[in-house]
Amino acid sequence: MAPAPPPAACFSAAEVQRRLAAGACWVRRGARLYDLTGFVRQHPGGEQLLWARAGQDVSADLDGPPHRHSANARRWLEQYYVGDLQGDPQGPVENGSVASANTQKTDPVMEPKLKAVDWDKDLVDWQKPLLWQVGHLGEKYDEWVHQPVSRPIRLFHSDFVEALSKTVWYSVPIVWVPLVLYFSWSYYGAFAQGNVPLLAPFATGYSVAMPESAFPGLFLLGLLVWSLLEYLIHRFLFHMKPPSNSAYLIMLHFAMHGQHHKAPFDTSRLVFPPVPASLVIGFFYLLLRLILSAAVAGTLFAGSLMGYVIYDLTHYYLHFGSPHKGSYLYHLKAHHVKHHFAHHQSGFGISSKLWDHFFHTLTPEEPHLKTQ
């Protein structure tokens, strides 16, 4: 016979009030209490929306309209259950801190929809590195990887390799912006001197001279090229469905992008780490140099690299920022949240929705967004 579960902890209204006063973010659903302090910064709707619900009953948010994914939200919430509220669950606490919540409802567009997981019964052992385990999930991998959880991921046994697979967001501008400035300054000087051919030396006979005024146009073209590459890579490479009989392709998919969909709030895995990024960026630069002259290739490369920096920083902000409702970034964040939690095969643009418009892969509109 399985052992009986331990009794739930009980908290008085005064104790809940003390925890709130100390800076904790507790919410309740009926008499059940949940400590969301560790999730505040990760909340898809931003910190302010969650802090506004601290101490309140979120039953109306989870059980009532207009939430289309309330079942997922209820399951997710159970990850943070800490105990029960003593006394009348409908009664207020001192200062009204734990009160019925019909007032400020959370934003349904940004509502977290993470899956509640019994970590002991999950398909993988979360106490061990995941990369070697996911390859054996076979047909179950695609469904498993698109059931996001709120916890960090470890990929490798080796601490050194694991460190190379993670990074902080500010490493992106620190590493790559100086390179953008170096290439821009160097090759603007080449354009200023004149006689810049378009193509590489092997095609000199077919090349044309580029004027100094071409520099800003080539830089902007690089930005546009990156935005298209970003879309195509995300749609056709990152969201390919690996064959269930290939453990290595499943592992490759998980290392490239699956890990991000499984743990979308793992702060160390939201931007591309500099070491693997340098391999991809170096390959892209060499490819440009095979076709174009040094100045033209370098200018296009600088624009594309700047586009990559904007992309990665925007991506991080879409996960952790709190854009003003109705702003461009608010709609872009709503677009990305729906990509993660509802429509995995649409909404591939990160820094803009340009190519989603062009290729008709926009995520379905929320009804109340259409009127804003």
Side-chain angles (χ1 to χ4, degrees), residues 168-192:
V168 292
W169 69 266
Y170 48 83
S171 69
V172 174
I174 288 175
V175 172
W176 301 117
V177 168
L179 195 59
V180 171
L181 296 175
Y182 170 77
F183 273 83
S184 299
W185 178 259
S186 299
Y187 290 118
Y188 176 75
F191 273 94

Side-chain angles (χ1 to χ4, degrees), residues 74-313:
R74 286 194 296 270
R75 287 194 296 268
W76 162 81
L77 190 63
E78 293 305 315
Q79 296 182 79
Y80 300 95
Y81 172 68
V82 291
D84 294 336
L85 178 66
Q86 290 178 339
D88 180 8
Q90 300 303 319
V93 177
E94 311 172 11
N95 304 325
S97 294
V98 180
S100 180
N102 292 321
T103 52
Q104 186 175 347
K105 293 187 178 182
T106 53
D107 189 337
V109 181
M110 305 299 189
E111 185 69 22
K113 304 166 185 69
L114 304 185
K115 179 179 174 60
V117 174
D118 183 338
W119 305 112
D120 295 327
K121 297 180 181 178
D122 196 27
L123 297 176
V124 297
D125 184 350
W126 286 86
Q127 301 304 315
K128 298 177 181 178
L130 296 187
L131 186 59
W132 314 113
Q133 299 184 63
V134 298
H136 301 290
L137 294 182
E139 295 180 353
K140 298 178 181 179
Y141 170 75
D142 190 64
E143 179 183 2
W144 176 85
V145 83
H146 288 114
Q147 294 175 338
V149 297
S150 178
R151 64 175 296 164
I153 278 179
R154 183 181 179 97
L155 290 180
F156 301 98
H157 288 279
S158 166
D159 290 339
F160 176 71
V161 178
E162 178 71 7
L164 294 181
S165 73
K166 303 189 295 185
T167 191
V168 292
W169 69 266
Y170 48 83
S171 69
V172 174
I174 288 175
V175 172
W176 301 117
V177 168
L179 195 59
V180 171
L181 296 175
Y182 170 77
F183 273 83
S184 299
W185 178 259
S186 299
Y187 290 118
Y188 176 75
F191 273 94
Q193 293 175 11
N195 297 320
V196 171
L198 172 62
L199 300 176
F202 77 88
T204 303
Y206 304 96
S207 189
V208 295
M210 303 294 291
E212 180 181 351
S213 59
F215 176 84
L218 288 169
F219 188 91
L220 292 176
L221 179 60
L223 285 170
L224 184 64
V225 167
W226 165 256
S227 71
L228 178 59
L229 282 175
E230 165 203 326
Y231 175 89
L232 295 175
I233 291 171
H234 192 184
R235 179 178 178 181
F236 295 107
L237 182 61
F238 289 173
H239 279 271
M240 70 170 185
K241 184 176 180 180
S244 59
N245 61 352
S246 175
Y248 291 108
L249 287 180
I250 290 175
M251 290 164 58
L252 178 62
H253 178 268
F254 190 71
M256 288 192 305
H257 195 61
Q259 55 168 316
H260 174 55
H261 271 261
K262 188 63 183 178
F265 302 114
D266 187 340
T267 57
S268 65
R269 298 189 181 280
L270 265 173
V271 299
F272 207 7
V275 171
S278 64
L279 300 177
V280 178
I281 289 170
F283 173 79
F284 179 64
Y285 175 67
L286 292 175
L287 185 63
L288 289 175
R289 284 289 287 113
L290 285 175
I291 304 169
L292 303 170
S293 67
V296 174
T299 306
L300 274 173
F301 175 75
S304 299
L305 189 56
M306 192 66 231
Y308 161 70
V309 171
I310 294 170
Y311 152 82
D312 245 354
L313 297 183

